[in-house]
Amino acid sequence: MASTDVVKSITSVGLVPANRTRDHVQRIFSGLFFGSFIGSMIAILFFDENMTLLGYAVPFIGAFVIAIIGFVLWKLAKGKDVDESVPVVAKVLGTAESVAERGVRTGGILCPVVVRPLEGEDFRSVVLSTSETKEPPKDIAPGTIMALRQVEPGLGDLISAPANDEQRALMERWARNPKLVSNRAPALPTRRGPLERKPASAAIEFYASIGIGAALLFSLVQLV
């Protein structure tokens, strides 16, 4: 791996599981939601001749109830999480990797950054450049300095947030002195998405929820 492949170097440190309470809730209820439609469609295919009007409505009612319960529980779980985010300033690093190499399936572009938190040690991570319009996302020019927040200590996940006075002051100092922060700071891992089926425990949780949702709605459709 070439030393100029900065994004590959950063992302090679790996990912940590999505194992927060809200991640489990989102994974389980997403599985139940998808499973409810699968179970309903199977029941309709097998018992279409005996279906009542209420039977055809059950899949939609069931999916709606699952979605509402899941959303409420997810909001409650998210609300209980302690906000550990800290303000940081990040500078985009140059890389030999093309935009195509750094593209993701959702349409964004990964851009490598070196980060200085207002509290804590410097680290490297990536930010995702996206577009809110139909236009393709634009690459962020190396040297661009931005104010962000580090979501959790020890992880490289970054989110956008308004800059405070300390961040603005640091951005000005960094712009005047480009060598203020070393580009060779250690890279930090990021957290997997809640619906990713890795590690195996996440896959089991998701697919088991699909099976339960399918069995539940399959049974309900037959009963009505």
Side-chain angles (χ1 to χ4, degrees):
M1 182 187 301
S3 60
T4 51
D5 292 342
V6 186
V7 170
K8 288 182 181 179
S9 174
I10 292 171
T11 55
S12 67
V13 301
L15 303 165
V16 300
N19 55 8
R20 297 165 297 185
T21 302
R22 66 187 186 190
D23 297 326
H24 291 296
V25 170
Q26 184 173 348
R27 198 156 46 239
I28 289 170
F29 277 88
S30 294
L32 290 173
F33 183 82
F34 293 130
S36 68
F37 279 107
I38 294 172
S40 300
M41 293 305 102
I42 293 174
I44 290 172
L45 286 173
F46 277 93
F47 303 102
D48 181 57
E49 294 181 357
N50 301 318
M51 290 283 291
T52 64
L53 186 61
L54 178 60
Y56 286 108
V58 165
F60 300 99
I61 296 172
F64 179 76
V65 170
I66 290 171
I68 291 297
I69 294 174
F71 179 75
V72 170
L73 292 178
W74 179 81
K75 289 289 287 185
L76 290 173
K78 186 178 180 182
K80 291 180 180 178
D81 289 341
V82 177
D83 182 9
E84 299 180 292
S85 65
V86 296
V88 303
V89 173
K91 184 175 78 170
V92 179
L93 299 173
T95 177
E97 297 149 312
S98 67
V99 169
E101 289 178 297
R102 291 182 282 125
V104 297
R105 284 181 294 178
T106 55
I109 302 170
L110 292 175
C111 302
V113 293
V114 60
V115 182
R116 168 153 290 187
L118 297 186
E119 301 176 9
E121 301 295 328
D122 300 339
F123 63 91
R124 287 184 301 158
S125 186
V126 293
V127 294
L128 184 65
S129 174
T130 59
S131 174
E132 296 181 356
T133 66
K134 293 183 179 180
E135 295 294 322
K138 295 182 179 180
D139 196 13
I140 307 176
T144 300
I145 299 175
M146 63 191 81
L148 302 169
R149 291 190 76 88
Q150 179 185 10
V151 177
E152 299 175 64
L155 294 183
D157 297 291
L158 302 167
I159 56 173
S160 299
N164 59 31
D165 291 340
E166 291 180 276
Q167 286 172 297
R168 283 189 283 268
L170 176 55
M171 292 168 71
E172 291 177 5
R173 294 201 310 274
W174 203 344
R176 291 195 303 268
N177 180 13
K179 295 184 179 180
L180 180 67
V181 179
S182 171
N183 292 347
R184 297 186 178 276
L188 293 182
T190 57
R191 189 180 293 281
R192 289 188 180 278
L195 300 184
E196 289 189 48
R197 265 76 82 189
K198 292 182 181 180
S201 58
I204 292 171
E205 190 172 57
F206 181 72
Y207 289 118
S209 299
I210 289 179
I212 293 171
L216 177 63
L217 265 295
F218 181 82
S219 301
L220 283 176
V221 169
Q222 290 185 72
L223 290 175
V224 297

